[in-house]
Amino acid sequence: MSASETTSMPVRRIRKAYEQVADQLRELIVTGEILPAQRLPNEATLAREFGVSRATVREALRVLSTQNLLRTTKGTGGGSYITLPTVDRISDYLSANISLLSATENVSLDEFLELREMLEVPAARLAARRRDPTHVHDLRAAIPESPLRMATEDQFVLNRGFHSALVLATGNALIAIAAQPIFSVLQTNLQRSTLGNKFHKRINEDHLALADAVDAGDEDAAGGLMLDHLAFLRPMYEKAWRQARRPAR
């Protein structure tokens, strides 16, 4: 190599100041050094403690707010308060973003249905394996005695409630976090479609059979029933998906 040639130098990107502040605050929250519901010092105090500008602190707080680690209130007693992630809060955040992906058609219906099958069939098996009387009660409470006498909106609420109860019955919060946004997007699309009594009757029968399998602790039956149930729903989703994306006249 000649003296005039240069060699590539390994360059390490330095994180921006607001990212470093956000990282340090996040660590304090996660480790419990800053407790839930505790109010952070004001921007001026934080800027002085971190040795940065108030604008840098403000941007760091914005980052933590988007991650649902802070809530900001105004007025007397206002400020930035610590919050901790919950299953529902994380699911809501994911639902909003996944809904945007589906609206822009960056995610296909097949991808949603494939992921749902990957989540719910094992979830049904796991719920049966870990059979818990409280969870079984929640499953049965989400099954109406007379579904055909109910308003369609009420039927959809209970149907989603059943599937939510089933993933919660796994005892695995991460499965619930992953599944809830999928339920939300798919059901929103399905509600736009016209579905008759035959559909709602079948849904109710499937849910009853699934609840019985979980109650009996029968993993194979629960998994098989869920697979059949999702196969029944697929053409309904396909029809609703097409209708939702049909250009308005």
Side-chain angles (χ1 to χ4, degrees):
M1 181 182 297
S2 66
S4 61
E5 290 184 75
T6 59
T7 58
S8 60
M9 300 292 292
V11 176
R12 184 162 57 91
R13 185 180 296 276
I14 298 176
R15 290 174 64 75
K16 296 175 181 177
Y18 77 85
E19 293 175 329
Q20 295 183 55
V21 173
D23 286 347
Q24 290 182 60
L25 285 172
R26 188 186 302 107
E27 184 177 354
L28 292 172
I29 293 169
V30 171
T31 58
E33 293 185 53
I34 304 178
L35 300 175
Q38 183 175 339
R39 184 170 66 176
L40 287 178
N42 60 35
E43 288 181 4
T45 301
L46 287 172
R48 186 170 59 253
E49 291 181 356
F50 282 101
V52 296
S53 68
R54 291 183 63 174
T56 296
V57 168
R58 194 175 303 120
E59 186 62 16
L61 297 181
R62 185 195 65 78
V63 169
L64 295 177
S65 293
T66 63
Q67 296 171 350
N68 292 309
L69 292 174
L70 287 182
R71 62 178 177 85
T72 302
T73 60
K74 296 182 179 180
T76 305
S80 297
Y81 291 84
I82 302 302
T83 61
L84 285 180
T86 64
V87 169
D88 289 340
R89 189 169 293 159
I90 294 173
S91 289
D92 288 345
Y93 175 79
L94 289 175
S95 292
N97 286 276
I98 291 175
S99 293
L100 286 175
L101 282 175
S102 69
T104 56
E105 300 186 10
N106 286 324
V107 179
S108 69
L109 175 62
D110 282 341
E111 289 174 292
F112 277 109
L113 296 180
E114 187 177 70
L115 178 57
R116 183 172 186 181
E117 185 177 308
M118 291 172 66
L119 289 169
E120 279 206 90
V121 173
R125 295 180 60 88
L126 195 54
R129 184 189 311 165
R130 296 176 174 173
R131 181 198 173 280
D132 178 272
T134 300
H135 288 142
V136 172
H137 174 270
D138 292 341
L139 284 172
R140 296 197 184 281
I143 304 173
E145 291 184 6
S146 304
L148 304 186
R149 297 180 183 178
M150 299 177 64
T152 300
E153 181 66 29
D154 294 334
Q155 291 172 332
F156 275 113
V157 169
L158 283 174
N159 290 345
R160 180 175 175 181
F162 177 88
H163 286 270
S164 297
L166 188 136
V167 295
L168 288 172
T170 65
N172 188 319
L174 293 177
I175 294 178
I177 288 172
Q180 295 290 1
I182 308 303
F183 297 161
S184 178
V185 172
L186 290 175
Q187 190 175 84
T188 297
N189 280 275
L190 195 60
Q191 282 179 296
R192 300 170 185 167
S193 179
T194 302
L195 300 166
N197 286 344
K198 184 178 179 180
F199 170 83
H200 292 292
K201 183 173 183 292
R202 168 64 187 272
I203 294 296
N204 214 54
E205 291 171 349
D206 284 0
H207 287 181
L208 282 168
L210 276 161
D212 287 343
V214 171
D215 195 9
D218 191 333
E219 293 183 46
D220 291 338
L225 286 165
M226 180 57 77
L227 189 61
D228 291 344
H229 180 60
L230 297 180
F232 167 73
L233 288 173
R234 174 177 276 274
M236 312 298 175
Y237 285 126
E238 291 172 342
K239 178 182 176 181
W241 201 266
R242 288 194 301 270
Q243 290 177 341
R245 280 146 184 77
R246 187 176 298 165
R249 294 182 180 179

